Amino acid sequence: PLLSAFTRERDVLVIDQRGTGRSSRLTCEGIADDPDNYDPDKVPELIKDCLERLPFDPIFFTTSVAVEDLEAMRLGLGYEQLSIYGVSYGTRVAQHYMRTYPHSSRAVILDGVVPPSEVLGSQIALHSQHALDNVFVRCAEQPTCADVFGDIKASFELVSNQLKESPIQMTLAHPVTGIRTELELGHPQLVAWLRFSLYAPETTALIPVILNEAAKKQSYTPIASNALRMLHNLKTSMAYGMHNAVICTEDAPFYADEQVDFASLSATYMGREMYDTLHTLCAEWPRGFMHETMKQPLQSEVPTLVLSGENDPITPPSWGKAVMPGLSNAIHIVAPGQGHGTISRGCIPRLIESFVEEPNPHAIDLACIERLQPFPFFVDL
């Protein structure tokens, strides 16, 4: 529906990038089972098993190859130029396409930006912790939240410590399938629920009430149910073979432990496990094809609309700001109170439509952005 406004005048191309969807999807069943909580001793076996099952060599499923696919598609379909929308990792693809084929892009929208020179890994937990801390502050400052729940940060710490020390054996209806499901609810499931709840303002708005249910009423079903739903969605939506091909080529080789603040990383609710897991996983995964220029800061004159969510837990507004010096014809919009991916928020679809029709970022009327705000906290279930 968000793209329907474009179809009156333009063709809309929705692309399954090589390695995803119906474009030779690369899956890793064992890795997808619990991607944020591997047993390090089992990683080599999981990787070996995955690589043996893959139908293609993963070294050819990287961003550098993807932009060549995109250009081949443009030429094959006979388009002079493309207007491109990329979100999250898709912004890495869009930026590298702008760099590699500078005359093929008419206008570009980058939503939740990953700067080309940024190395994904150690910051994931730090950015997510910052977003969670903002939830605690916002709840404390809003009487409707603070009066009902009290110190929500204290509730989180209580629940976190309880699940670290004594995981809970539960049986509940799976929130997606409805099937009765056995679950050991521990700290990894708490992390999964919080991490993905912070992506959207609506699910962020549930964090105080769900933590309160567990801390003060000893009701852990809401955490368990939401964790199961999010892990199910992640397993069915992520192609982990392609994910590994990208991360292990474009990020992990540039990890520098001496530049990582492990004390701060360990102090986050996620801890350093994700960084360590990627380190271990990519030590076993083959490094793929990458253009030499890929990690360099982007310099481009292509009209560009840079979008950031104020409370984005993985691609924060500072990353949107970081790419601006190299974009000579761009504007950066920070959507108040929003999370990861803003294309559906408030007046932003209308701004994107007007930008594609007239690719002049400085002609956009930004007054409507001020009306965006965080989703109000739920105060009961």
Side-chain angles (χ1 to χ4, degrees):
L2 294 168
L3 298 174
S4 62
F6 296 106
T7 59
R8 293 191 297 268
E9 303 289 341
R10 303 180 182 278
D11 296 340
V12 176
L13 312 175
V14 184
I15 302 164
D16 282 356
Q17 184 172 321
R18 177 191 295 221
T20 73
R22 287 179 286 176
S23 296
S24 304
R25 178 181 174 93
L26 300 187
T27 58
C28 291
E29 293 300 330
I31 292 174
D33 290 340
D34 199 355
D36 292 343
N37 189 41
Y38 298 139
D39 180 343
D41 294 335
K42 295 182 180 179
V43 167
E45 182 181 341
L46 288 171
I47 295 300
K48 180 181 178 182
D49 179 69
C50 176
L51 290 171
E52 288 177 350
R53 293 169 180 260
L54 292 181
F56 302 100
D57 190 333
I59 69 170
F60 300 111
F61 286 76
T62 59
T63 305
S64 294
V65 178
V67 299
E68 295 181 0
D69 287 345
L70 182 56
E71 180 67 357
M73 183 198 70
R74 182 190 70 81
L75 293 170
L77 294 175
Y79 295 110
E80 183 177 344
Q81 289 183 312
L82 302 175
S83 299
I84 298 176
Y85 169 81
V87 59
S88 194
Y89 162 71
T91 67
R92 178 179 282 186
V93 181
Q95 290 172 93
H96 195 49
Y97 186 71
M98 293 164 72
R99 183 204 311 279
T100 309
Y101 302 102
H103 303 298
S104 298
S105 300
R106 173 181 173 272
V108 175
I109 301 103
L110 304 174
D111 191 358
V113 187
V114 180
S117 55
E118 200 65 53
V119 177
L120 296 177
S122 62
Q123 327 88 324
I124 294 174
L126 296 172
H127 292 163
S128 194
Q129 182 65 54
H130 179 70
L132 182 60
D133 289 340
N134 283 343
V135 173
F136 298 150
V137 170
R138 281 176 46 217
C139 183
E141 292 176 346
Q142 296 180 13
T144 52
C145 187
D147 292 349
V148 173
F149 301 126
D151 186 348
I152 201 68
K153 183 178 181 180
S155 294
F156 159 73
E157 291 173 350
L158 176 64
V159 171
S160 179
N161 290 332
Q162 286 181 342
L163 291 178
K164 283 179 181 177
E165 296 170 3
S166 303
I168 301 170
Q169 301 296 327
M170 303 183 68
T171 303
L172 69 160
H174 195 288
V176 178
T177 67
I179 298 171
R180 300 297 291 177
T181 301
E182 301 288 334
L183 173 69
E184 180 178 88
L185 180 67
H187 191 259
Q189 287 72 35
L190 175 69
V191 167
W193 162 60
L194 284 172
R195 179 187 171 200
F196 294 110
S197 290
L198 291 165
Y199 274 54
E202 295 86 353
T203 46
T204 297
L206 283 161
I207 289 175
V209 66
I210 290 178
L211 286 175
N212 188 72
E213 288 290 307
K216 298 181 179 178
K217 301 181 182 180
Q218 295 298 298
S219 174
Y220 283 86
T221 300
I223 293 177
S225 183
N226 278 281
L228 283 173
R229 177 174 59 85
M230 290 170 174
L231 289 171
H232 173 88
N233 291 342
L234 188 66
K235 183 176 181 179
T236 55
S237 64
M238 286 285 284
Y240 278 99
M242 183 268 191
H243 167 276
N244 296 347
V246 170
I247 294 292
C248 297
T249 299
E250 302 166 14
D251 295 291
F254 303 95
Y255 289 171
D257 286 354
E258 65 276 9
Q259 297 177 10
V260 178
D261 183 351
F262 285 110
S264 296
L265 200 59
S266 298
T268 66
Y269 79 94
M270 291 176 63
R272 57 178 285 176
E273 282 76 14
M274 176 175 286
Y275 178 80
D276 291 340
T277 294
L278 291 174
H279 231 319
T280 304
L281 186 152
C282 290
E284 305 290 334
W285 195 270
R287 188 168 178 176
F289 174 71
M290 187 177 78
H291 292 141
E292 291 182 1
T293 59
M294 171 135 191
K295 302 300 286 183
Q296 297 175 7
L298 174 65
Q299 305 290 325
S300 176
E301 299 177 355
V302 175
T304 305
L305 182 60
V306 180
L307 302 170
S308 298
E310 179 187 23
N311 298 325
D312 190 328
I314 191 162
T315 56
S318 60
W319 281 10
K321 182 180 179 180
V323 301
M324 289 299 291
L327 302 175
S328 61
N329 191 15
I331 190 170
H332 182 207
I333 298 175
V334 179
Q338 306 309 302
H340 188 56
T342 62
I343 190 174
S344 65
R345 300 297 173 177
C347 65
I348 289 180
R350 179 161 50 84
L351 298 186
I352 291 176
E353 182 184 357
S354 65
F355 173 68
V356 171
E357 291 307 309
E358 181 188 354
N360 178 2
H362 303 290
I364 298 174
D365 183 358
L366 301 179
C368 66
I369 293 294
E370 298 175 5
R371 294 196 291 272
L372 284 169
Q373 56 185 305
F375 201 87
F377 289 118
F378 289 96
V379 294
D380 59 47
L381 291 179

